[in-house]
Structures are given as structure tokens and as C-alpha cells.
Amino acid sequence: MPILITVDELASRLAPGAPDGRTVVLDVRWTLAQPDGSGAYRNGHIPGAVYVDLDTELADHDVVGAGRHPLPSEASLTTAMRRWGLHDGDTVVVVDDLGNQSAARAWWLLRHAGFGDVRLLDGALGAWRAAGHPLETGEVVPEPGDATARYGGMPVLDIDGAGALPDHGVLLDVRAAERYRGEVEPIDPRAGHIPGARSAPTATTLDADGRFLPAEVLRAQYAELGAVPGADVAAYCGSGVTGAHAVAALAIAGVDAALFPGSWSQWSNDASRPAATGGEPG
């Protein structure tokens, strides 16, 4: 199943009378500095796009001890999917204004929930604007859908699995390199990385316009870290958001990878877990 869709392909799908079936656009505007992206969404979004609140709909903060963005339950994601108007058989395109770094969380969760055709908009909202396609303002409230989340579509690692993976596979830490090295830690209680993890910052997978690098470039980058087809590979970040972006980038490169959703926010809060520092896996 394709992972990316271009802005022109999406515009064609959204045009009146398009023959390709129903396409639903989800706007997952979110950043650490501004987690509520609803205002930016209302000020201008792809026509017909439904706003998705990453913090409340793509995470369950009632879960304790599983990091800053614990996965939502199947039931709560089902409720959200139906609010978004999703039906089985829809094509879903997820978009943000952050190079797909937050939209990938929705991409991964929908794939994990068994939804078949989910795409990331290559270049995100910036590419849509640059191509001259229109935006609309206000809020879209769709008719409720009937889709149901059934987890199991994507591989997931728990905290013990993440700690053990470097012994036989490749664990990628996709945070900024200085956080990996333990030089700074602006969010979580301890600095450093999971022992044995290799540094693969999210920024190295995108070009200057926020598009994923070509598949062959990604494939070569990941191969240098040992992440090749057939290897046991997983990714983590700070709280499981950009880790999902890495899973998408690896898929574009032809490498299947698991996600450790708890990521460094879960690991660093467990005093029994060791932390490595410096530029080497440790």
C-alpha cells in the first residue's frame, strides 16, 4: 500500500466527480510549543479536512507510566475515528504543517488499528500551499462514521523489548543528536539514550521543503546504521510521535520497523533503566 500521496494527486481526488472513491483528509496540526493546533487549522486548512487533536485523540493521558503520549485504547480511537467521519474502505490522507512529524502519529495509529489505505501528504501543508491549491477557513464537522479500531496492524515494542533489541537488532533514537548524546534534555527527567540505540535524527530524513528524501537515499542512510530489510528494527523518540515518522521513513526505504511508543519519556522515568551518554550506542 502506498505511504505517500502528492499534493496534485490529493487535489485530483478531492475534485468534484473524482472516480477514486471517498478520500478523507485529517489535519493533525501539533507542535511541542503549541500542542493545540485548532486555531491554525481554523485559519486555513485543506478543503474538507477534519481537525485531529493529537494530545486528546491520538494519546491517552489517563495511562500512567507509559510515557508522555501513551497509545489510546481501541475503544477511544474508535470513538475518534467515527467523529472524524471514517468508514471502512475510505482513503485517509493525514497532513500537518511540520514535515509530517505529527501527522505520522495518525498514520501509524490508523495502520495499527487495521485501516487499510492511509497516506501521508508528501511535503505536508507547505507543499499544498506552494502548489497554489486552495485553503478554507472555519471548522469541518462531518457526519459520524462507523469505522472500528482493531489493533495489531503494526509491530509494537514494550519497554523490555526496546531494552533487549540492541542485542540482536537495531534500535534507532530519532531525537536530535544532542539529546541522544545527553548534552541537553529539555523535557524528560534524565538525559541520554537507551543503551545500544543508534542516533538517527528525524531531520536527516527530510529535505529543506519538508519532503521525505528519495527512497534510495533513505535506504542508504539506514543501511549505514544496520537497518536493512530483514533486520529486527525499531524506532523511538521522546514520546512516540516522531518515532512514528521514522517508521514511515523506514517503510519508504523498504525496511519494516516496530515502534516503541513509550520512548525516552517512559524509559527515563524508570530509575531502574540505565542511560547511556555520548555519541556511541554504549
Side-chain angles (χ1 to χ4, degrees), residues 15 23 46 89 114 140 154 167 203 223 248:
T23 299
I46 293 172
V140 175
M154 298 290 277
D167 290 339

mmCIF file of all heavy atoms in Angstrom, residues 15 23 46 89 114 140 154 167 203 223 248:
data_model
loop_
_atom_site.group_PDB
_atom_site.id
_atom_site.type_symbol
_atom_site.label_atom_id
_atom_site.label_comp_id
_atom_site.label_asym_id
_atom_site.label_seq_id
_atom_site.Cartn_x
_atom_site.Cartn_y
_atom_site.Cartn_z
ATOM 1 N N ALA A 15 -11.356 16.645 -6.125
ATOM 2 C CA ALA A 15 -12.130 17.390 -7.125
ATOM 3 C C ALA A 15 -13.526 16.777 -7.282
ATOM 4 O O ALA A 15 -13.706 15.559 -7.125
ATOM 5 C CB ALA A 15 -11.397 17.371 -8.459
ATOM 6 N N THR A 23 -12.210 10.065 -0.200
ATOM 7 C CA THR A 23 -10.945 10.411 0.442
ATOM 8 C C THR A 23 -11.220 11.376 1.579
ATOM 9 O O THR A 23 -11.859 12.412 1.382
ATOM 10 C CB THR A 23 -9.963 11.055 -0.563
ATOM 11 O OG1 THR A 23 -9.690 10.122 -1.611
ATOM 12 C CG2 THR A 23 -8.667 11.446 0.123
ATOM 13 N N ILE A 46 -6.808 22.405 4.277
ATOM 14 C CA ILE A 46 -7.221 21.805 3.007
ATOM 15 C C ILE A 46 -8.737 21.649 3.021
ATOM 16 O O ILE A 46 -9.314 21.214 4.025
ATOM 17 C CB ILE A 46 -6.520 20.453 2.816
ATOM 18 C CG1 ILE A 46 -5.009 20.672 2.636
ATOM 19 C CG2 ILE A 46 -7.090 19.696 1.619
ATOM 20 C CD1 ILE A 46 -4.195 19.400 2.627
ATOM 21 N N GLY A 89 -12.957 1.303 4.072
ATOM 22 C CA GLY A 89 -12.891 1.475 2.621
ATOM 23 C C GLY A 89 -12.500 2.876 2.191
ATOM 24 O O GLY A 89 -12.174 3.092 1.018
ATOM 25 N N GLY A 114 -5.777 -1.204 11.854
ATOM 26 C CA GLY A 114 -6.303 -2.031 10.787
ATOM 27 C C GLY A 114 -6.879 -1.276 9.612
ATOM 28 O O GLY A 114 -7.467 -1.893 8.707
ATOM 29 N N VAL A 140 -14.683 21.908 9.943
ATOM 30 C CA VAL A 140 -15.461 20.886 9.251
ATOM 31 C C VAL A 140 -15.962 19.888 10.291
ATOM 32 O O VAL A 140 -15.176 19.327 11.059
ATOM 33 C CB VAL A 140 -14.615 20.163 8.192
ATOM 34 C CG1 VAL A 140 -15.397 19.012 7.569
ATOM 35 C CG2 VAL A 140 -14.146 21.145 7.120
ATOM 36 N N MET A 154 0.406 -3.007 13.144
ATOM 37 C CA MET A 154 1.796 -2.552 13.113
ATOM 38 C C MET A 154 2.542 -3.165 14.299
ATOM 39 O O MET A 154 1.973 -3.338 15.383
ATOM 40 C CB MET A 154 1.866 -1.024 13.201
ATOM 41 C CG MET A 154 1.193 -0.304 12.050
ATOM 42 S SD MET A 154 2.069 -0.489 10.480
ATOM 43 C CE MET A 154 3.310 0.794 10.634
ATOM 44 N N ASP A 167 20.644 -6.152 21.383
ATOM 45 C CA ASP A 167 21.434 -7.393 21.451
ATOM 46 C C ASP A 167 21.317 -8.220 20.175
ATOM 47 O O ASP A 167 22.206 -9.039 19.885
ATOM 48 C CB ASP A 167 20.987 -8.235 22.641
ATOM 49 C CG ASP A 167 21.364 -7.618 23.977
ATOM 50 O OD1 ASP A 167 22.290 -6.788 23.996
ATOM 51 O OD2 ASP A 167 20.714 -7.961 24.982
ATOM 52 N N ALA A 203 15.427 14.897 11.424
ATOM 53 C CA ALA A 203 15.765 15.917 10.429
ATOM 54 C C ALA A 203 16.548 15.350 9.263
ATOM 55 O O ALA A 203 16.502 15.898 8.148
ATOM 56 C CB ALA A 203 16.551 17.051 11.085
ATOM 57 N N ALA A 223 20.972 1.906 5.972
ATOM 58 C CA ALA A 223 21.881 0.761 5.857
ATOM 59 C C ALA A 223 23.173 1.015 6.628
ATOM 60 O O ALA A 223 23.763 0.081 7.196
ATOM 61 C CB ALA A 223 22.183 0.479 4.387
ATOM 62 N N ALA A 248 7.592 5.444 9.250
ATOM 63 C CA ALA A 248 7.176 5.749 7.878
ATOM 64 C C ALA A 248 8.380 5.902 6.957
ATOM 65 O O ALA A 248 8.390 5.379 5.832
ATOM 66 C CB ALA A 248 6.325 7.011 7.862
#
